[in-house]
């Protein structure tokens, strides 16, 4: 564990809180895209810096930046300067409250330590290749729970298991269709002779970044459907099942199945524990941590 990166995580947390959790996550997507493309083009040194140190490091790593923004927003409501502790779109620097920003820094450090000391030692293949999850997703979920406990609010905020009605049907249609797109593009590219290692190794990072950048439209007030939990899981399931089975049709089917289940998990989480205004417990992060476990249990990388 790098002490320098730990110190940077505090600054990264303050920075993310100042610009807002969602804008910080959008920036994660920007650098994830650039880093993934660099890796696909063979510029592995540049790709490593962009992906591991900026997109998913102490700069914009969701376990630091997004988690910090979530904590700052919840604290701002508890302090009485915000009406909505689950508001992840607003830049907290506008409150002119230094303690709100410092809370972001503290949770940036908490996120860094949780990832390095817990996830890296227990759920990163150190125990078993089948016991692996997404470190940022796991950390964002646990950090969100900690925020809810510390700053107040009921754990269960809804009285339904799913969004219900046409909203849930919409989730199913999007889950299947988006997953089919992600799996289909990968399988078609491999069938056409694209180098599997260069493409597959960064495909999930690329599509995650594209979905994260798409949240710019949500930040602008459009009803954009957040889908990073669908596309990254569909990509991981497609790539890893193909690497295991060698069958493109199996990979296509697995991508659709796992991506759609991820969409449903996020919908359920939103209905049960993320429908209030006290704080934000991220549905996509919840789905990603669960389904990354599932993908690796079935198709270890």
């Amino acid at each position: 564990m790098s002490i320098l990166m730990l110190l940077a995580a505090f600054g990264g947390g303050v920075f993310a809180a100042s610009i807002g959790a969602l804008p910080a996550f959008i920036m994660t997507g920007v650098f994830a895209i650039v880093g993934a493309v660099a890796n696909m083009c063979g510029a592995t040194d540049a790709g490593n810096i962009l992906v591991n140190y900026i997109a998913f490091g102490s700069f914009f790593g969701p376990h630091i930046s997004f988690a910090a923004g979530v904590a700052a927003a919840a604290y701002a409501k508890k302090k009485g300067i915000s009406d909505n502790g689950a508001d992840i779109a607003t830049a907290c620097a506008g409150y002119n409250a230094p303690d709100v920003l410092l809370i972001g820094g503290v949770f940036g450090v908490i996120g860094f330590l949780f990832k390095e000391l817990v996830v890296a030692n227990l759920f990163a293949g150190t125990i078993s290749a089948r016991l692996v999850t997404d470190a940022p997703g796991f950390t964002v979920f646990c950090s969100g729970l900690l925020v809810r406990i510390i700053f107040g609010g009921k754990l269960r905020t809804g009285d339904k298991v799913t969004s219900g009605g046409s909203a849930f049907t919409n989730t199913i249609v999007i889950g299947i269709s988006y997953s089919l797109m992600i799996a289909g593009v990968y399988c078609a590219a491999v069938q056409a002779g694209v180098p599997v290692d260069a493409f597959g190794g960064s495909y999930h990072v690329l599509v995650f970044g594209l979905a994260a950048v798409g949240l710019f439209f949500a930040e602008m007030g459009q009803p954009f459907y957040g889908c990073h939990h669908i596309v990254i899981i569909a990509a991981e399931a497609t790539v890893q099942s193909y690497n295991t089975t060698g069958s493109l049709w199996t990979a296509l089917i697995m991508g659709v199945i796992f991506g759609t289940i991820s969409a449903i998990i996020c919908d359920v989480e939103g209905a049960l524990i993320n429908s209030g205004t006290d704080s934000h417990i991220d549905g996509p992060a919840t789905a990603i941590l669960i389904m990354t476990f599932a993908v690796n249990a079935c198709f270890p990388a």
Side-chain angles (χ1 to χ4, degrees):
M1 183 178 72
S2 169
I3 299 300
L4 293 176
M5 291 295 285
L6 175 62
L7 294 173
F10 179 83
V14 171
F15 177 68
S18 71
I19 67 172
L22 186 58
F25 186 68
I26 293 169
M27 294 304 297
T28 301
V30 171
F31 288 100
I33 292 170
V34 178
V37 171
N39 279 323
M40 289 180 177
C41 294
T44 54
D45 288 341
N48 175 55
I49 292 170
L50 290 164
V51 172
N52 295 319
Y53 286 89
I54 299 181
F56 297 103
S58 292
F59 214 138
F60 290 118
H63 58 296
I64 292 169
S65 63
F66 186 82
V70 166
Y75 175 72
K77 181 182 180 182
K78 184 176 179 64
K79 188 177 179 182
I81 58 177
S82 168
D83 295 328
N84 184 359
D87 178 9
I88 59 173
T90 298
C92 292
Y95 297 133
N96 291 321
D99 51 333
V100 172
L101 303 184
L102 292 174
I103 287 293
V106 170
F107 272 83
V109 170
I110 290 172
F112 178 89
L113 291 174
F114 186 84
K115 176 180 177 291
E116 293 295 321
L117 300 179
V118 178
V119 183
N121 288 315
L122 297 177
F123 307 115
T126 48
I127 296 176
S128 168
R130 295 182 185 273
L131 190 63
V132 176
T133 193
D134 181 87
F138 194 5
T139 306
V140 165
F141 172 73
C142 292
S143 180
L145 288 179
L146 183 62
V147 166
R148 182 74 58 85
I149 291 168
I150 293 176
F151 298 130
K154 298 182 297 182
L155 180 58
R156 180 167 180 173
T157 58
D159 56 3
K160 299 186 297 183
V161 176
T162 70
S163 57
S166 60
F168 185 67
T169 304
N170 201 48
T171 293
I172 299 298
V173 170
I174 286 176
I176 293 172
S177 301
Y178 286 21
S179 298
L180 183 62
M181 172 184 67
I182 296 301
V185 166
Y186 177 80
C187 292
V190 172
Q191 189 177 55
V194 171
V196 174
D197 290 341
F199 184 42
S202 295
Y203 188 53
H204 66 296
V205 177
L206 175 64
V207 299
F208 177 86
L210 290 169
V213 169
L215 288 165
F216 170 80
F217 299 105
E219 181 72 18
M220 294 298 102
Q222 294 296 313
F224 180 83
Y225 191 98
C227 61
H228 47 288
H229 59 295
I230 299 172
V231 298
I232 190 174
I233 294 302
E236 289 176 351
T238 302
V239 172
Q240 291 179 215
S241 61
Y242 176 70
N243 291 342
T244 301
T245 67
S247 168
L248 288 175
W249 285 106
T250 299
L252 181 73
I253 293 169
M254 291 298 103
V256 172
I257 290 174
F258 279 82
T260 304
I261 294 173
S262 188
I264 294 171
I265 290 173
C266 181
D267 187 274
V268 170
E269 191 273 355
L272 288 176
I273 63 176
N274 198 39
S275 55
T277 62
D278 291 321
S279 68
H280 178 85
I281 298 178
D282 198 56
T286 306
I288 289 171
L289 85 89
I290 293 172
M291 293 309 297
T292 304
F293 269 129
V295 170
N296 285 288
C298 296
F299 309 105

